[in-house]
Amino acid sequence: MKNYLFLITGTFFFAASVAIFAMPNSLAEGGVPGLALLIYHETDISPALTTLILNAMILLIGFRYLPKDMIIKSLITIPLFSFFIYILEDLTSGIPDPLLAAIFAGVFTGAGFGLIFRSGSTTGGTSTIARMLNYKFGWELTGTNFVLDASVVVAGIFVIGPLYTMYTVLALFIGKRVTDYVLEGFEAKRVVHIFSNKTEEVEHALQTSLGTHTTVLKAEKNADGVEENLIYVAIPKQRLFYLKKLVSSIDENAFTVVHTVKDVTGGSFAEALHPGQKTFRSKKLERRYYKKQADEESFTSPDHTPVNEKA
């Protein structure tokens, strides 16, 4: 049920982008909606009609190349998209500023794409063609889809002119970023590399106080005879401050390197990985717990000796 709610909402956002921002402001899109918009700007034929016809033809041709579940959802998405365009296209006369129109077109398109993809459906068009070419000739899906979409955008130079084509490119770039946020979440993850000669104490504190999954990579002793192992850990962004404070309280000389990553699954990002890992009913309770843990003045090492008392 949730997937169909995503599908309907995403289709509405995408149709709103086309009907409210792109059509009245001489903008285009990528793929079949972009081709339908170019036809509209040249002949005044509604994209509601052309997207329905073009997507139906492509879906019919590519019927045997698509998974059954995707076909069923596409049979809902394609007519629904055209219907939403039909009811929205006469509601506005456009935004006086084409740059602002391009920005909002990108936001609505990205949100729409993200929700449609999360539902397990597609917008039809070039993604279906790319899948067919991949099946028939082995062409790479992402690259083929990009070339097809780019061809439509480049063709817009001859219909809407270079300036509005550049506005379209801006809208597509914003749309791609928004789609990534919808699919991957707004909260970036952090991967932290910690070099410390107090590996066991730091690792134990991270597991018990922050509930994180840690991996220790063993290192050889350096020229001074010190063994600084590498602790590898992935955490949500809001825990980074507490992690640094925790590590510093154990080893002031620890060397910490932080990387931003987009997608992390499993481990401490799944349900409780080990008995000591905490789970919470809400983000508020989670933040309160980790703040309290990070503010403690001393932590207990694996042998239950206060860390501040260790040499």
Side-chain angles (χ1 to χ4, degrees):
M1 185 64 186
K2 181 176 70 173
N3 285 338
Y4 284 98
L5 180 62
F6 283 161
L7 188 153
I8 294 172
T9 306
T11 303
F12 178 81
F13 280 169
F14 187 26
S17 171
V18 171
I20 297 177
F21 300 109
M23 285 178 63
N25 289 282
S26 299
L27 300 176
E29 274 281 355
V32 168
L35 183 59
L37 282 167
L38 295 181
I39 294 173
Y40 166 76
H41 294 315
E42 190 69 19
T43 65
D44 211 33
I45 298 176
S46 172
L49 178 62
T50 49
T51 53
L52 180 63
I53 295 174
L54 292 173
N55 277 321
M57 291 173 57
I58 294 171
L59 187 63
L60 186 62
I61 296 171
F63 186 80
R64 65 174 180 159
Y65 305 112
L66 298 174
K68 184 177 179 181
D69 182 60
M70 186 177 292
I71 292 172
I72 294 173
K73 289 178 179 177
S74 296
L75 289 173
I76 298 173
T77 306
I78 291 171
L80 192 63
F81 178 60
S82 296
F83 173 72
F84 282 147
I85 292 178
Y86 176 74
I87 63 175
L88 292 172
E89 60 184 350
D90 294 324
L91 294 183
T92 179
S93 58
I95 298 176
D97 186 350
L99 177 60
L100 192 61
I103 293 172
F104 276 93
V107 171
F108 274 71
T109 296
F113 273 176
L115 291 172
I116 290 171
F117 292 154
R118 288 192 67 170
S119 75
S121 183
T122 70
T123 55
T126 52
S127 59
T128 305
I129 298 174
R131 185 179 288 272
M132 287 190 291
L133 293 173
N134 171 263
Y135 180 87
K136 192 74 175 176
F137 303 107
W139 293 5
E140 196 263 329
L141 277 172
T142 304
T144 303
N145 196 64
F146 172 78
V147 170
L148 293 171
D149 284 346
S151 300
V152 175
V153 174
V154 171
I157 295 175
F158 304 100
V159 179
I160 59 178
L163 179 61
Y164 285 93
T165 299
M166 286 189 283
Y167 283 136
T168 298
V169 171
L170 174 64
L172 292 175
F173 174 77
I174 294 173
K176 173 64 171 62
R177 300 299 299 173
V178 174
T179 299
D180 289 343
Y181 281 127
V182 173
L183 292 176
E184 300 168 1
F186 288 89
E187 180 187 328
K189 312 301 188 298
R190 299 288 188 265
V191 165
V192 185
H193 294 164
I194 305 166
F195 297 87
S196 172
N197 56 8
K198 297 182 179 180
T199 305
E200 291 186 3
E201 293 96 322
V202 173
E203 182 189 20
H204 182 261
L206 292 176
Q207 289 182 352
T208 57
S209 298
L210 291 184
T212 59
H213 175 80
T214 58
T215 300
V216 177
L217 304 178
K218 295 294 183 179
E220 294 182 357
K221 292 183 179 180
N222 60 22
D224 298 325
V226 178
E227 186 180 88
E228 286 192 337
N229 297 318
L230 167 65
I231 303 174
Y232 183 98
V233 58
I235 58 170
K237 181 176 64 175
Q238 73 267 19
R239 297 190 199 174
L240 182 60
F241 170 79
Y242 307 128
L243 180 144
K244 288 182 175 180
K245 191 173 182 180
L246 176 61
V247 172
S248 177
S249 69
I250 299 172
D251 183 3
E252 293 183 353
N253 298 317
F255 179 58
T256 304
V257 181
V258 181
H259 304 275
T260 299
V261 294
K262 288 185 177 181
D263 188 18
V264 181
T265 56
S268 53
F269 288 86
E271 292 298 321
L273 184 69
H274 52 78
Q277 180 178 322
K278 299 288 291 183
T279 56
F280 303 89
R281 295 192 304 272
S282 69
K283 291 289 185 183
K284 184 177 180 181
L285 291 175
E286 182 181 7
R287 287 193 297 269
R288 184 183 300 169
Y289 173 83
Y290 290 129
K291 185 176 187 305
K292 181 180 178 181
Q293 291 297 111
D295 287 338
E296 295 290 339
E297 293 183 357
S298 63
F299 299 90
T300 305
S301 65
D303 61 359
H304 301 289
T305 303
V307 171
N308 290 347
E309 295 180 9
K310 292 178 68 97

